[in-house]
Amino acid sequence: MSLAVRELEKAYASAPEAIDRFLADRSFPLQEGTTTTFVYRGPADEVHLRHWIFGLESSLAFTRLGESDLWYLVLELPELSRVEYKLDVVRDGKGEWIQDPLNPLVAHDPFGANSVYQGVGYETPEWATPDEEARVGEMEEIAVRSQAFNEDRLLRVYVPARFRKNRRYPVLLVHDGADYLRYAGLQTVLDNLIYRLEIPELVVAMTDSGDRLGEYTSNPDHDRFIAEEVPTALERRFPVDPDRSAWGLMGASLGAVATLSAAWRNPGRFGKLLLQSGSFVFTDIGDHNWRGPQWDQVVSFMNAFREAPGSPAESLFVSCGIYESLIYENRSLLPILQTTGMDVRYVEARDGHNWENWRDRLRVGLSWLFPGPLWMVYE
């Protein structure tokens, strides 16, 4: 089957208005099986696809159709791929990164928004979108006096809709809670999974840091705050399960490093760990990773962990995107984790280092670590 853009190339030579017909009744990026055609129309000297797929040249040049203002790029992307990208439009020697004007799908993160390509078979999970049948939990904010940091820290706490003071609840602590709420729809996910009985009713405490490179890189003060001070504050305020096997800790990227570090320095404090796209940078030779000196503290921790992992928790869920540069570090960590006696589950997806990748893995991760009544019946 000839691609639509190849037919356009033939038609354009004799009928330039073929461009209008080509654009009129199609959505873009144009998906034809696993072949995808990215298109930009407008004045430009050059157009490039900017993406974050590790192993693929990060800037891919579009082809101009004759002397027209239409530019295109044909790319093979495997099924179930999800790719965030921007277009780099160069005019008069100056490039501007923009969202794809022909693509309404965008994903947001702390740095702005990117266009999103969804490959064959990928669908936004319906459990990640608001369900009018699901009862909505409440968010509370409490101040925690931290001796480790010598200041008050804000804690956002999710309590399930049917919260009762005379019950005991399992607990989940979340690094980068504000970002999980804003960019991964964490509250909606919790509401839906609890409503569907896929996870039990949980108390979920969310922390944030204004200095992630200082605090999330295996910082003993942060580990003390997470493993001692936050749990103490929760126990005073909420009817939480005293059995620490019912407590979980999670994070993404550097937040996953902070999660593993806090559990490793405080074995037995958390029964369950959820690690998403962990920045588990290490070295086999020397103390400095190619990523730069800002990673030295993480390298020091990960090298120590790899040497003596111990058993930081009972169950550990790890996920990573195949298109991330960190896939090497996460795959390398897996056999070490599997020798510890911990119950380990590892999941990959054709996605990158972004919040919607982490959102899409929450159902399998949370329901595995915290099986609800529905999963308990099946098991």
Side-chain angles (χ1 to χ4, degrees), residues 33-54:
T34 56
T35 303
T36 302
T37 304
F38 295 84
V39 172
Y40 174 78
R41 190 176 195 186
D45 301 320
E46 299 174 20
V47 180
H48 300 263
L49 182 75
R50 297 285 189 170
H51 61 85
W52 295 269
I53 301 176
F54 184 68

Side-chain angles (χ1 to χ4, degrees), residues 116-188:
V116 179
Y117 163 77
Q118 296 180 346
V120 175
Y122 175 87
E123 293 182 359
T124 301
E126 37 85 23
W127 49 262
T129 59
D131 180 348
E132 62 180 17
E133 299 292 328
R135 296 182 61 179
V136 178
E138 295 186 358
M139 298 294 300
E140 298 186 17
E141 293 186 354
I142 63 175
V144 177
R145 182 60 191 175
S146 171
Q147 299 299 323
F149 291 121
N150 193 31
E151 65 181 15
D152 288 345
R153 289 290 177 103
L154 177 69
L155 204 62
R156 294 180 176 85
V157 183
Y158 169 93
V159 295
R162 296 184 298 177
F163 178 78
R164 299 290 184 273
K165 292 183 178 179
N166 59 354
R167 296 181 183 175
R168 293 288 184 184
Y169 291 89
V171 179
L172 175 64
L173 271 58
V174 182
H175 287 97
D176 296 314
D179 286 345
Y180 263 107
L181 289 170
R182 179 174 300 174
Y183 306 118
L186 180 58
Q187 183 170 359
T188 297

Side-chain angles (χ1 to χ4, degrees), residues 314-325:
E314 298 170 11
S315 303
L316 198 152
F317 180 91
V318 183
S319 69
C320 192
I322 293 174
Y323 298 153
E324 301 183 48
S325 67

Side-chain angles (χ1 to χ4, degrees), residues 204-225:
V204 181
M206 306 170 202
T207 69
D208 291 287
S209 171
D211 180 20
R212 297 176 80 250
L213 272 176
E215 295 181 6
Y216 283 9
T217 51
S218 192
N219 180 322
D221 291 335
H222 173 269
D223 293 349
R224 176 186 169 193
F225 173 67

Side-chain angles (χ1 to χ4, degrees), residues 196-209:
R196 298 172 186 217
L197 305 180
E198 295 187 19
I199 63 173
E201 295 180 332
L202 293 169
V203 168
V204 181
M206 306 170 202
T207 69
D208 291 287
S209 171

